[in-house]
Amino acid sequence: MPMAVVQEHLHQEQRLSFWRRYVFSMDHKVIGIQYLATSMGMAVLGGTLAMIIRLALGWPEASGVTPASYLGTVTMHGTIMVFFVLSAALTGGFGNFLIPLQIGARDMAYPFLNMASYWLYPISIAVLLASYFVPGGPPISGWTAYPPLSALAQAGSGVGQVLWLVSLAILILAFLFGSLNYITTILQLRTRGMSLLRMPLTSWGLFITSILSLLSFPVLLAAAIMLLFDRAGGTSFFLPASVVINGVQVTASGGDPLLYQHLFWFLGHPEVYILILPAMGMVSDILANNARKPIFGYRAMVLSIAVIAFLSFLVWGHHMFVSGMHPLLGTAFMTTTLFIAIPSAIKVFNWLATLWRGKLRFTPQMLFAIGFVSLFVTGGLTGMILGSPALNMYVHDTYFVVAHFHFVMGSASLFGIFAGIYHWFPKMFGRKMNERLGRLHFWIALPATYATFFPMHFAGIGGMMRRIFSTQFYDYLAGFQGLNQFVSVAAFVMGAAHMLFLVNFVWSLRYGERAEANPWGATSLEWQTSSPPPHDNFEGETPEVHRWAYDYSVPGADDDFVPQTEPEAAPVGVPGR
């Protein structure tokens, strides 16, 4: 970009009012931080709901939680954590902040659309939380909102269920706006020399995730609108001809609840990878940076991300093995599900090979990146059990499933977010987070996470249902009360550890050590500009890229890293090993 144009942009920034610069901003960096800050607020709410759930399960009589309010709490916790925390932080937060910086662009392709994407997010939150203030309270049908429970007011789901559906529809529009923007930006606005195979894996993870979102979220949007019509418009897409509720027969026109399950899980399973692929990309960059080694098998890593994303569209049926599915179809879904283990294993082995004989720096982001790998492997192994129809049927809808997805989708993604925030905090705010508090956060959070979720496998194998209010309802579950109390105490410790992170985050905003432009000795483009970056990201001309993003410890180089902007005359590593 010519210097005159750059100066004009800087002048424009200086002329912006407070509201345009920090509130209704079209700057991708501000929008990314807005997404992150809002999702952190929702994480506090979702985490508080989790503590209420654990309080009820550990001490049901003393907690004061009723069965109805328990179901509402479970529904809101799952919805908030999956859609309003993990999805929003990873794609909305890191996607907005990092993509233009990593590919050498001035901003997103559609800045106004980007701003609109963010502001739909708090609107959807407001609609969702309004369900607490309407007759009947929040929905009780779980984060999956299966009909007919979610479609019939007689089943206990009141106006709160309608607000849940409207809120989800608004949020999906926000995600679609963002995905369209990310894909266009990466394809059209990469700087000179930044070929696709020179992009950092963080950008690759976000790019593939955006394609996943663009193809799968509209299906859930359609399902939500159809369910809304069933509730309020008199249609019967998902309602069977006759349903008996509390002894009263409710007639409809003969829809099929299974149709909703197909539509939901066509998004629901890719959603797992919408949460995990960006974290995988960030963890790859953080491991290479803190091992001072090139990422092992770059091209295999890119291909694995693409293959995982493709296969994620072919496995939704494994969530419905007990729906009466034909065994032959179940075998097909089992095959595609288990096949995902291959690219996933490639990524794990490549991460371990990257660490092997590296000059490891155990910064907080490195610890959380290693923790991510550990949690992903633990959750992935139980995924092999759930992918088999014969084993799945035994533990279906039990706490075994709860343990599985809290490891692989919840905790692993959350650790990826922590790693990302510790790593890019200096770039966002020009200060470092406190490393001692960061390490303390990790060493409390990781054991507490395992202590919370690993025992749930045994409760699930023992037959404890995933949404049961109390183990006292059935004699055969009474023996799990002690285990539930242990899990609840571990969960409280885990929650306290994460509060330590919040304290560190807020404290570091004001008192953290000043950060230079490239405090971690990193190679990618975002570290070649000031911290925080200027309005147009790069002072003067946009940078030109001459190499891949992983030239660490290159023989003959002056430093143990060579930025992507270094001309080819400098020593070059070996991409794609």
Side-chain angles (χ1 to χ4, degrees):
M1 181 178 288
M3 183 60 70
V5 177
V6 173
Q7 293 298 330
E8 177 59 26
H9 278 239
L10 292 175
H11 289 319
Q12 286 178 2
E13 181 194 12
Q14 291 167 358
R15 287 197 298 267
L16 292 176
S17 67
F18 172 84
W19 290 96
R20 287 292 310 279
R21 192 169 179 178
Y22 295 110
V23 182
F24 298 106
S25 174
M26 290 192 281
D27 184 332
H28 71 97
K29 300 182 291 298
V30 176
I31 294 171
I33 292 170
Q34 287 175 325
Y35 258 113
L36 270 180
T38 311
S39 63
M40 286 170 66
M42 292 302 288
V44 172
L45 177 57
T48 303
L49 295 175
M51 297 302 110
I52 294 173
I53 292 169
R54 288 314 319 175
L55 188 66
L57 286 170
W59 301 271
E61 295 178 356
S63 67
V65 179
T66 64
S69 64
Y70 178 81
L71 287 176
T73 303
V74 169
T75 299
M76 294 297 276
H77 165 71
T79 303
I80 288 172
M81 294 307 295
V82 172
F83 295 113
F84 291 85
V85 176
L86 298 176
S87 298
L90 285 163
T91 55
F94 290 105
N96 266 300
F97 188 84
L98 290 176
I99 287 175
L101 286 169
Q102 287 200 331
I103 67 170
R106 296 287 185 193
D107 205 326
M108 287 289 180
Y110 308 114
F112 179 81
L113 195 66
N114 211 19
M115 181 183 70
S117 164
Y118 170 72
W119 280 106
L120 286 173
Y121 176 37
I123 292 173
S124 66
I125 291 173
V127 174
L128 180 74
L129 297 186
S131 65
Y132 277 105
F133 305 100
V134 296
I140 60 172
S141 57
W143 77 280
T144 53
Y146 277 0
L149 179 61
S150 60
L152 294 170
Q154 299 94 319
S157 54
V159 180
Q161 186 68 63
V162 175
L163 293 173
W164 187 93
L165 289 167
V166 173
S167 166
L168 202 61
I170 296 171
L171 186 65
I172 289 172
L173 285 178
F175 288 157
L176 292 177
F177 287 174
S179 299
L180 183 66
N181 223 346
Y182 299 164
I183 294 170
T184 308
T185 302
I186 288 176
L187 292 180
Q188 297 295 327
L189 298 185
R190 298 191 312 279
T191 190
R192 291 161 294 162
M194 179 61 84
S195 64
L196 286 174
L197 286 178
R198 281 178 170 172
M199 287 199 312
L201 287 167
T202 297
S203 288
W204 264 110
L206 291 163
F207 178 52
I208 299 292
T209 298
S210 302
I211 296 172
L212 267 180
S213 300
L214 203 60
L215 295 177
S216 59
F217 268 119
V219 179
L220 182 61
L221 178 62
I225 293 173
M226 292 163 72
L227 187 54
L228 201 58
F229 283 157
D230 275 6
R231 283 193 63 90
T235 59
S236 183
F237 292 111
F238 307 128
L239 289 172
S242 177
V243 182
V244 177
I245 300 174
N246 295 328
V248 178
Q249 185 171 354
V250 180
T251 56
S253 299
D256 192 343
L258 280 182
L259 172 61
Y260 177 86
Q261 294 190 30
H262 281 290
L263 294 174
F264 180 88
W265 288 115
F266 188 80
L267 168 277
H269 201 82
E271 172 69 12
V272 174
Y273 299 101
I274 288 171
L275 301 183
I276 208 74
L277 292 182
M280 283 179 167
M282 295 192 301
V283 162
S284 300
D285 287 356
I286 292 168
L287 289 178
N289 174 255
N290 286 279
R292 314 310 289 166
K293 280 183 64 183
I295 192 74
F296 187 88
Y298 172 80
R299 290 189 174 90
M301 296 289 262
V302 173
L303 183 62
S304 296
I305 292 174
V307 171
I308 289 172
F310 173 73
L311 289 174
S312 73
F313 284 112
L314 307 177
V315 301
W316 81 90
H318 74 228
H319 295 275
M320 303 167 59
F321 281 148
V322 298
S323 66
M325 180 182 293
H326 191 284
L328 190 60
L329 187 58
T331 302
F333 279 120
M334 178 190 74
T335 304
T336 52
T337 299
L338 299 185
F339 194 75
I340 286 186
I342 297 175
S344 299
I346 288 173
K347 297 192 74 65
V348 172
F349 288 130
N350 285 359
W351 285 325
L352 296 178
T354 302
L355 295 176
W356 178 251
R357 293 187 174 179
K359 300 172 185 173
L360 305 186
R361 301 185 310 199
F362 291 105
T363 58
Q365 59 266 38
M366 179 64 152
L367 293 173
F368 276 98
I370 293 172
F372 167 91
V373 177
S374 169
L375 295 168
F376 177 71
V377 170
T378 304
L381 289 175
T382 53
M384 302 285 283
I385 295 172
L386 293 171
S388 166
L391 299 175
N392 181 296
M393 288 180 185
Y394 182 74
V395 293
H396 183 83
D397 240 359
T398 69
Y399 259 80
F400 191 92
V401 181
V402 177
H404 164 70
F405 70 71
H406 274 88
F407 267 115
V408 76
M409 188 173 82
S411 300
S413 299
L414 196 59
F415 271 51
I417 291 172
F418 286 136
I421 291 178
Y422 281 115
H423 189 65
W424 279 287
F425 187 91
K427 187 54 59 180
M428 293 177 181
F429 304 107
R431 293 181 184 272
K432 290 182 180 178
M433 293 184 72
N434 185 293
E435 292 203 11
R436 182 173 296 179
L437 281 178
R439 291 190 184 93
L440 182 62
H441 171 207
F442 172 80
W443 286 116
I444 298 175
L446 185 68
T449 300
Y450 271 97
T452 300
F453 298 118
F454 202 81
M456 291 182 184
H457 292 108
F458 302 105
I461 292 171
M464 182 174 167
M465 294 74 88
R466 64 187 291 183
R467 294 193 181 99
I468 191 169
F469 167 65
S470 169
T471 56
Q472 305 305 310
F473 288 146
Y474 300 97
D475 291 340
Y476 79 95
L477 292 179
F480 287 111
Q481 192 55 35
L483 182 143
N484 271 296
Q485 290 174 347
F486 172 81
V487 168
S488 294
V489 171
F492 298 152
V493 174
M494 181 175 64
H498 295 332
M499 291 307 294
L500 195 62
F501 165 80
L502 280 180
V503 171
N504 191 1
F505 187 96
V506 174
W507 182 88
S508 300
L509 285 174
R510 185 171 180 84
Y511 301 108
E513 178 188 347
R514 293 272 184 192
E516 54 192 286
N518 190 3
W520 313 125
T523 58
S524 46
L525 290 185
E526 76 270 28
W527 300 105
Q528 314 313 316
T529 186
S530 58
S531 300
H535 180 67
D536 285 344
N537 291 345
F538 304 96
E539 295 179 0
E541 296 286 330
T542 53
E544 183 174 358
V545 169
H546 300 280
R547 60 186 67 226
W548 72 329
Y550 300 98
D551 268 344
Y552 290 106
S553 302
V554 177
D558 294 333
D559 295 316
D560 67 347
F561 69 100
V562 184
Q564 285 188 282
T565 51
E566 282 291 318
E568 294 178 356
V572 180
V574 185
R577 286 182 294 186

